[in-house]
Amino acid sequence: TQGQDQETSREIIQFDAAFDTRNFRSASGIVVRDQNGVIKVSKLTLHSNISSPFVVEAYACLEATKLGINIWIDSVTMMGDSKT
């Protein structure tokens, strides 16, 4: 009914990236889990012409954000491991 709080689920999007300094290539991985830890979506993206590990972490975060938007997540916690 109207006026009642609707319970929303809270997903977690985790992302990470790997960088090959010799060939300036990288990969980023994304996992979306529901509040019970069940994997709902996973995605791997390969990148080329990446200049630094910082850039690939930024790309991974961008890809994770876009994925969350595309699958219509209402409430999310984004988690990466970059210190910068």
Side-chain angles (χ1 to χ4, degrees):
T1 64
Q2 286 184 347
Q4 291 182 341
D5 287 289
Q6 200 175 36
E7 188 174 321
T8 60
S9 62
R10 182 167 199 76
E11 273 81 15
I12 298 170
I13 299 179
Q14 297 172 299
F15 60 92
D16 199 5
F19 182 66
D20 176 359
T21 56
R22 181 176 298 158
N23 297 306
F24 297 99
R25 293 183 303 184
S26 64
S28 58
I30 304 166
V31 176
V32 180
R33 298 177 189 268
D34 68 12
Q35 58 196 14
N36 298 317
V38 176
I39 295 175
K40 297 297 187 179
V41 178
S42 64
K43 179 180 179 181
L44 174 68
T45 305
L46 301 175
H47 308 278
S48 59
N49 295 322
I50 299 296
S51 59
S52 73
F54 176 77
V55 172
V56 74
E57 285 287 341
Y59 270 117
C61 184
L62 174 64
E63 291 293 322
T65 302
K66 290 180 356 185
L67 180 61
I69 291 168
N70 287 335
I71 63 174
W72 295 90
I73 294 178
D74 292 331
S75 180
V76 67
T77 299
M78 301 279 290
M79 296 174 62
D81 67 349
S82 178
K83 302 282 190 238
T84 57

